[in-house]
């Protein structure tokens, strides 16, 4: 369906409006997984593997750079380089009037547009035949529900979802329970998720499954 082109936003931008920094990082992790650029390790860590794939955008590239050392998905969201990348990704959305100042949450109009596109592109009922682009759009719009439908094993190994937790439409839990997720969303709205600086990292990642198929 090439829905991201139709919408006019990158998948991580859709997810940023839909689920904040957790949404954007989740979509970037899934994109890197589909490209075979990361693997999962012990204790739900993620780590870059192999050469950088061609055609990575700046946001996904930053996430991949941060995974030169093993990190959990929650640590990744809080990494200073990722927080800076999120801040930069917010700028064009704010310029379009889709984020409200000063805390840069989505405006009412942005929420309505995300809801419109979610209805226009409902959650797929089967995994077979979906392109990577369609998979990313589904995750960006439907959050945990899409992860459980399309990438259940990877989502659990990577700490993007938790076993037995409800998959609310459009929510990105990063494996957290409902109360802790809401608490973190409140803390993020207060801190603004700002960060600065960019540094290189090195390190290994234990075995636990590579990228590509779920």
């Amino acid at each position: 369906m090439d829905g991201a082109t139709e919408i006019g936003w990158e998948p991580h931008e859709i997810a940023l409006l839909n689920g904040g920094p957790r949404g954007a990082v989740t979509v970037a992790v899934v994109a890197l997984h589909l490209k075979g650029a990361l693997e999962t390790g012990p204790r739900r860590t993620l780590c870059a593997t192999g050469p950088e794939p061609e055609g990575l955008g700046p946001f996904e590239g930053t996430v991949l750079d941060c995974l030169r050392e093993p990190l959990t998905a929650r640590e990744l969201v809080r990494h200073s380089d990722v927080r800076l990348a999120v801040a930069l990704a917010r700028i064009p959305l704010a310029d379009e009037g889709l984020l409200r100042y000063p805390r840069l949450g989505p405006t009412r109009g942005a929420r309505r547009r995300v809801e419109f596109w979610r209805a226009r592109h409902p959650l797929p009922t089967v995994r077979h035949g979906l392109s990577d682009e369609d998979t990313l759009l589904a995750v960006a719009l439907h959050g945990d529900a899409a992860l459980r439908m399309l990438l259940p094993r990877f989502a659990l190994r990577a700490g993007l979802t938790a076993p037995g937790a409800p998959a609310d439409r459009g929510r990105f839990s990063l494996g957290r329970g409902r109360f802790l997720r809401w608490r973190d969303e409140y803390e993020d709205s207060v801190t603004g998720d700002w960060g600065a600086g960019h540094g290189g990292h090195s390190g290994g990642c234990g075995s636990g499954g590579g990228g590509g198929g779920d």
Side-chain angles (χ1 to χ4, degrees), residues 21-161:
R22 288 175 181 76
V25 170
T26 296
V27 166
V29 166
V30 170
L32 294 170
H33 165 68
L34 294 174
K35 292 179 180 292
L38 61 77
E39 62 183 16
T40 57
R43 296 181 295 279
R44 295 188 172 188
T45 54
L46 300 162
C47 190
T49 179
E52 180 174 319
E54 294 183 4
L56 280 187
F59 190 83
E60 289 81 6
T62 297
V63 171
L64 186 62
D65 285 346
C66 294
L67 291 176
R68 299 301 172 185
E69 63 175 358
L71 295 172
T72 67
R74 294 203 298 272
E75 290 170 338
L76 187 59
V77 170
R78 292 180 171 88
H79 194 289
S80 60
D81 291 353
V82 170
R83 291 168 62 158
L84 176 59
V86 167
L88 294 175
R90 281 170 162 157
I91 292 173
L93 298 175
D95 288 344
E96 289 185 50
L98 299 171
L99 298 175
R100 63 179 181 274
Y101 291 97
R103 294 180 178 175
L104 297 179
T107 63
R108 185 176 303 172
R111 291 195 297 270
R112 284 198 300 264
R113 288 172 67 177
V114 170
E115 185 64 32
F116 171 81
W117 291 116
R118 187 184 293 126
R120 187 175 177 87
H121 299 282
L123 179 66
T125 57
V126 294
R127 287 180 274 173
H128 179 71
L130 279 184
S131 67
D132 289 354
E133 291 75 17
D134 288 349
T135 299
L136 288 175
L137 179 61
V139 174
L141 288 171
H142 298 281
D144 284 4
L147 291 170
R148 290 174 182 276
M149 171 61 69
L150 305 177
L151 301 157
R153 287 174 292 181
F154 171 73
L156 282 174
R157 291 197 309 267
L160 303 179
T161 59

